[in-house]
């Protein structure tokens, strides 16, 4: 299977630029291109066309966006992009921008379409639609509509209310669709995208997991040189793969530091020490900082404040570890390795036109006076791509297939102040949920199942023939491909019943278990 590229490619790599017009799906477009085994990079729509072309792209994709092409201050694009001879594919807003820039007509004629929409292909043998059915379902999200294609373009698809839902110009290698082919709801969207890449742009699908590793190993060696690095190992797949990748590059120059912040789940500290060292042979330093983190979090209930505190304390512990490592013989420890992923960057406000949904401890939560240079070999990857890199590196399934767990740990799964008593309570409830999901064979069917303690909420219950006033526990099982979007998992009622019965029977001070059935959006996967 294909994997995503590193942060930069060498001069021989075929590069597809995804121009981000503030779309919620810009990162997903890049991911779909990578799934087609083609390297992609996201660039802002504000980047001058000359700079885009200086990257020597084999193709350019224009993303969707929330604006109307006619609105004041709406993102625009220099016509020179369409005259440079580079194949271009416009989606939604990008499609409309291509149409208006080249002389077509886009107007607000009341032809609004949102969600699943039937599409009729009028030219079955076209570059984009070859081999796809004449009638197919696509995902629309637009108010304005294209009523006339630019001169030289052939209209190749329409809907009941939009006469121009797709157009193509093979001579100039310019293509566009009104819908979102990148989302799974567009039933033949990936095929249409690949037709643009392979047929329209003539790109060979040759970007592989091996390319990712080779490129990153070279980049890490160039960045670190003869100095040393430490890696914040959390026990999760992200930091484990990042550490394995960096160790492949610099070997004994890397020391992994596992910080036991007291916010891990039951038995995980022991698992990290055993499984990771056995799989990689890496140098591992374990630091027990649980008392320090609990003290720093005392009295704090605000989720953003908790994330920032945890991020700050991580760095301080690493700095202390650095001092201890410096007492050993060897070069300077100048680098910190992190398992930062693409969704972390996007949700922390790092994407073009994106809002700060939450500060990830390894992005927005880092202190300004950090003394390390960061090494982030997974920064451009999505979770499933990271797993593929981990498999290629030879990490065991126990690590590679581990369900995502946030760096701040249970600290952000307690809604309210974090205390030792509340952590112990949540650990037991979480352990029960994980045991039952594993027993039911559901570990691979769900993305993850956060177990949340509503610490500042009490509910009335009846236990042992008496009235109780205990805490509710929330189960949040979700299904996802890359954590950018998610839906709640429809678990068997029998499994849910066993989890609820065991938690209320075995965990003191809990008298109610509830199920979170919210998708993302509007909710995030984690509660805090």
């Amino acid at each position: 299977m294909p994997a995503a590229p590193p942060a930069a490619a060498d001069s021989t790599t075929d590069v597809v630029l995804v121009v981000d017009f503030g779309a919620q799906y810009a990162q997903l477009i890049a991911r779909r291109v990578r799934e087609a085994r083609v390297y992609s990079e996201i660039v802002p729509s504000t980047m001058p066309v000359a700079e885009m072309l200086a990257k020597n792209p084999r193709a350019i994709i224009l993303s969707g966006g929330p604006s109307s092409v006619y609105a004041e201050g709406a993102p625009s694009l220099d016509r020179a992009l369409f005259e440079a001879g580079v194949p271009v594919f416009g989606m939604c807003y990008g499609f409309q921008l291509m149409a208006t820039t080249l002389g077509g007509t886009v107007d607000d004629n009341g032809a609004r379409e949102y969600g699943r929409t039937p599409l009729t292909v009028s030219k079955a043998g076209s570059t984009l639609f070859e081999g796809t059915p004449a009638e197919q379902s696509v995902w629309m999200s637009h108010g304005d509509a294209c009523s006339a294609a630019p001169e030289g373009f052939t209209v190749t698809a329409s809907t009941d209310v939009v006469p121009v839902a797709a157009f193509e110009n093979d001579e100039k290698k310019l293509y566009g669709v009104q819908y979102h082919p990148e989302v799974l709801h567009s039933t033949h969207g990936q095929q249409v995208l690949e037709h643009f890449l392979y047929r329209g742009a003539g790109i060979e699908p040759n970007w592989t997991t091996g390319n990712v590793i080779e490129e990153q190993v070279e980049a890490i060696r160039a960045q670190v040189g003869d100095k040393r690095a430490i890696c914040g190992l959390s026990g999760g797949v992200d930091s484990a793969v990042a550490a394995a990748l960096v160790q492949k590059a610099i070997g004994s120059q890397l020391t992994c530091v596992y910080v036991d912040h007291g916010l891990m789940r039951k038995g995980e500290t022991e698992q990290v020490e055993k499984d990771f060292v056995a799989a990689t042979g890496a140098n591992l330093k374990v630091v027990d900082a649980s008392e320090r983190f609990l003290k720093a979090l005392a009295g704090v209930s605000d989720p953003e404040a908790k994330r920032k505190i945890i991020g700050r304390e991580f760095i301080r512990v690493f700095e202390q570890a650095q001092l201890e490592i410096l007492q050993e013989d060897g070069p300077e420890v100048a680098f910190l390795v992190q398992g930062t992923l693409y969704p972390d960057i996007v949700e922390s406000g790092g994407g073009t036109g994106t809002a700060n949904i939450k500060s990830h401890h390894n992005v927005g939560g880092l202190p300004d006076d950090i003394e390390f240079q960061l090494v982030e070999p997974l920064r451009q990857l999505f979770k499933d791509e990271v797993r593929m890199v981990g498999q290629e590196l030879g990490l065991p399934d126990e690590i590679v297939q581990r369900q995502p767990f946030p760096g701040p740990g249970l600290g952000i799964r307690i809604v309210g102040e974090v205390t030792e008593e509340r952590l112990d309570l949540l650990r037991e409830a979480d352990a029960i949920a994980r045991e039952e999901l594993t027993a039911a064979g559901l570990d691979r069917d769900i993305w993850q199942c956060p177990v949340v303690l509503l610490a500042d909420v009490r509910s009335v219950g009846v236990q042992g023939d008496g009235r109780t006033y205990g805490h509710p526990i929330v189960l949040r099982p979700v299904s996802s491909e890359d954590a950018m979007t998610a839906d709640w998992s429809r678990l068997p009622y029998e499994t849910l019943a066993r989890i609820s019965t065991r938690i209320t029977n075995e965990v003191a001070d809990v008298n109610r278990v509830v199920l979170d059935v919210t998708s993302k959006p509007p909710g995030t996967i984690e509660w805090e």
Side-chain angles (χ1 to χ4, degrees), residues 234 261 263-264 307 361 404-410 412-413 448 526:
S234 70
H261 51 22
L263 307 175
M264 297 297 286
R307 285 178 177 273
H361 73 285
F405 186 63
L410 298 180
I412 59 169
R413 291 184 178 175
Q448 66 184 113
E526 299 289 346

Side-chain angles (χ1 to χ4, degrees), residues 77 86 88 129 172 376 504:
L77 203 58
V86 177
V88 181
F129 295 105
K172 295 185 177 180
E376 298 178 310
T504 53

Side-chain angles (χ1 to χ4, degrees), residues 217 220-231 243 246-257 281-283 325 328-337 375:
V217 165
I220 292 165
R221 286 173 178 164
Q223 181 182 7
V224 176
D226 59 359
K227 294 183 173 60
R228 286 189 288 172
I230 59 175
C231 177
V246 173
Q247 188 190 32
K248 181 178 179 64
I250 62 173
S252 61
Q253 292 170 247
L254 173 69
T255 299
C256 294
V257 179
N283 298 323
I325 294 171
E328 308 168 2
D329 292 334
E332 176 189 0
V333 179
F335 296 90
L336 170 63
V337 179
V375 178

Side-chain angles (χ1 to χ4, degrees), residues 270-348:
E270 295 78 12
Q271 184 185 46
V272 168
E273 292 187 71
K274 176 175 67 71
D275 290 348
F276 182 75
V277 173
T280 65
N283 298 323
L284 178 63
K285 181 180 181 65
V286 179
V287 181
D288 183 357
S290 54
E291 185 176 341
R292 173 178 184 151
F293 277 81
L294 279 173
K295 183 177 180 181
L297 290 167
V300 179
S301 296
D302 179 75
E304 280 294 283
K306 285 195 286 187
R307 285 178 177 273
K308 291 183 182 298
I309 288 170
I310 293 169
R312 181 194 70 208
E313 294 303 314
F314 259 113
I315 297 302
R316 296 302 172 241
V317 172
F318 287 138
E319 289 172 344
Q320 180 60 41
Q322 178 195 31
L323 292 176
E324 296 175 5
I325 294 171
L326 281 174
Q327 295 175 2
E328 308 168 2
D329 292 334
E332 176 189 0
V333 179
F335 296 90
L336 170 63
V337 179
Q338 291 199 140
T340 307
L341 304 191
Y342 218 153
D344 300 342
I345 303 298
V346 175
E347 291 190 338
S348 299

Side-chain angles (χ1 to χ4, degrees), residues 4-56:
D10 64 31
S11 59
T12 64
T13 302
D14 290 332
V15 178
V16 173
L17 299 183
V18 177
V19 181
D20 184 2
F21 290 97
Q24 61 175 319
Y25 295 133
Q27 290 74 28
L28 184 55
I29 296 171
R31 182 177 179 276
R32 296 301 186 214
V33 174
R34 299 167 187 175
E35 286 181 354
R37 297 178 62 191
V38 175
Y39 176 77
S40 64
E41 291 181 3
I42 297 176
V43 297
S45 61
T46 53
M47 175 181 285
V49 167
E51 290 186 23
M52 295 182 193
L53 297 178
K55 291 178 172 285
N56 297 315

